[in-house]
Amino acid sequence: MAPRLLLLAALALVFVVAAGQGAKTVLPFAPSCSTSGNYTDGSQYKKNLDQLLAALPTAAGDNGWFYNGTAGTGADQVFGLIMCYADRNATQCLECLAGAPAGITGLCPGSRNVSAAYDACVLRYSDTDFFSVASRGEVFVIWGSTVDQVRLEDARSSLMNRLARTAPGSLLFVANESAPLIGSSDSVYGLAQCTRDLTAIECSWCLNTYIALLPGRFPNNTGGALKGYSCYVRGAILDAADTRLKGEFDARQMETVMVVGLWCTHPDRSLRPSMRQAVNVLRLEAPLPSLPARMPVATYMPPPDALYHTSSVTTGGNSTGTGTLLK
C-alpha cells in the first residue's frame, strides 16, 4: 500500500476511535434551526436522529468525506447529509465530521429541520427529503484585503464561470483553477464545490447564484468565500513572488520557475520532464511546456474504490454514498 494510502487509513482509524470515545464538539456559524413541530426526548424521531447522526461521520469518512442517508420510516423518518469542504485537510475534516453532530444538537435542541455550516464541513438533517435540491441559504462570507478592482474582476469573472461549468460534471462535484492577474506576477485562484446529492442542474444553479454575488461582496478583495448548505465558492489571489524580493525580479524568470515547478509535479508521471529538459527551460534555452488548464483538486480522498464502500450499518450505497439506516 502506498504511503499516502497508509496515512489515510491511519487517519480513518483515529477518526473511528475518536467518534466512539466522544470527539471534540465543533460549533457552526449561525445555524438554521426550525422552531415548530419540535421533537421531544424519547420520541421515535429523536431515536432515529441519534442513530443517523452517530452513523453519518463514520460513513462519510469511508466515502470520500461525503455521505447522505436516512433513518427510520414514515412521519419519523430523518434525512441527513454531511460533507467536508475540499480545501480543508484530512485532520480538519475528521475533526469537523466527528464534532459537528454534538455541536448542532446542542444549539438546536428539538429542531426537526436543521442546516449548519462549519469552517471545515456542512451538516443538514430534516424530516422531509431535501436531497438533490440546492438550499438557497448563504451562510459564511469571508473577506480578504484589497487590490485593483478592474484587474481582479477581469480575471475572476472568467475563472469562476469556468468553474461553474466544470464542477457539476465532475465525479466529486468539485473544480479548481487559477488565472493570471494581468499586470502582476500574481494569479487568481478559484474553487467551486457542491454537495454530491445535487443534480448537475441544481449544482450549476447554486454556484452561479453565489458567483453572481462575488462582485458585490468582494469588489476588490484579495480573497473571498461564500459558503452555503449546498455549495461553496472561493476566490483568492496567490502571490507568486517571495515578499523578501520586494518586487525586484524579472517577470519572465518568475513565470519560468513557476511553470517548471508545476511541470515537475504533474499528476501524470509520464508527462514530467527529465532533469535535462527542466534545466534547459530554466536557462531559457527551450520554450515553456504546455500544461493543462486545470489540475486535480487537493481533496484528500481515499482510494477510488472507497467511493463505492458501504458502511456496515447501512444498506444500499452508490457513488454519492446514499444509504438507509435500519431501525
Side-chain angles (χ1 to χ4, degrees):
M1 183 180 292
R4 184 172 181 271
L5 300 186
L6 286 172
L7 175 60
L8 287 170
L11 286 172
L13 178 60
V14 170
F15 164 70
V16 172
V17 172
Q21 296 180 348
K24 174 185 175 182
T25 298
V26 181
L27 298 178
F29 175 80
S32 173
C33 313
S34 64
T35 57
S36 60
N38 285 6
Y39 65 80
T40 57
D41 288 340
S43 66
Q44 187 58 51
Y45 188 88
K46 168 64 171 173
K47 295 176 182 177
N48 292 340
L49 176 61
D50 288 345
Q51 181 186 12
L52 180 63
L53 291 180
L56 278 180
T58 302
D62 289 341
N63 190 61
W65 313 133
F66 171 83
Y67 199 85
N68 64 312
T70 66
T73 59
D76 292 315
Q77 186 174 21
V78 186
F79 300 81
L81 174 155
I82 196 166
M83 184 189 76
C84 287
Y85 294 117
D87 55 354
R88 292 298 180 264
N89 63 38
T91 300
Q92 294 167 326
C93 177
L94 292 173
E95 182 179 275
C96 196
L97 292 179
I104 194 59
T105 51
L107 291 178
C108 303
S111 296
R112 294 172 68 96
N113 301 285
V114 170
S115 295
Y118 304 75
D119 178 62
C121 68
V122 59
L123 170 65
R124 299 178 67 190
Y125 58 84
S126 176
D127 57 4
T128 58
D129 186 354
F130 61 85
F131 302 151
S132 302
V133 179
S135 166
R136 273 58 176 167
E138 174 192 338
V139 187
F140 274 102
V141 180
I142 306 169
W143 289 271
S145 55
T146 60
V147 72
D148 181 75
Q149 182 175 350
V150 175
R151 289 190 296 122
L152 173 61
E153 188 53 33
D154 284 345
R156 183 173 60 189
S157 59
S158 60
L159 171 62
M160 298 307 294
N161 286 332
R162 288 201 306 273
L163 295 180
R165 293 192 299 269
T166 304
S170 69
L171 175 64
L172 301 178
F173 275 37
V174 180
N176 73 339
E177 289 188 39
S178 63
L181 186 64
I182 304 301
S184 76
S185 62
D186 301 336
S187 294
V188 178
Y189 163 83
L191 169 71
Q193 179 182 16
C194 293
T195 57
R196 301 203 310 261
D197 62 306
L198 297 184
T199 64
I201 293 175
E202 287 291 306
C203 177
S204 295
W205 177 90
C206 190
L207 292 176
N208 282 310
T209 298
Y210 281 18
I211 289 170
L213 297 174
L214 290 177
R217 295 286 192 275
F218 316 108
N220 61 340
N221 298 92
T222 57
L226 293 175
K227 287 184 178 181
Y229 304 129
S230 295
C231 68
Y232 169 39
V233 295
R234 175 189 171 192
I237 292 180
L238 302 180
D239 297 325
D242 192 316
T243 55
R244 289 173 293 183
L245 295 175
K246 299 179 180 179
E248 298 178 359
F249 57 84
D250 183 287
R252 185 186 179 193
Q253 292 177 350
M254 179 63 66
E255 179 185 14
T256 300
V257 170
M258 291 181 64
V259 171
V260 170
L262 292 171
W263 192 19
C264 291
T265 57
H266 196 291
D268 185 342
R269 291 177 179 269
S270 66
L271 297 179
R272 294 175 185 174
S274 65
M275 182 64 72
R276 182 181 297 277
Q277 289 174 314
V279 170
N280 286 342
V281 174
L282 288 173
R283 289 177 174 173
L284 305 180
E285 296 173 356
L288 290 175
S290 177
L291 298 179
R294 296 190 300 272
M295 289 292 188
V297 182
T299 49
Y300 305 93
M301 293 298 173
D305 57 354
L307 293 175
Y308 300 91
H309 176 76
T310 302
S311 172
S312 61
V313 297
T314 64
T315 61
N318 52 35
S319 62
T320 63
T322 305
T324 302
L325 301 178
L326 302 179
K327 291 173 60 179

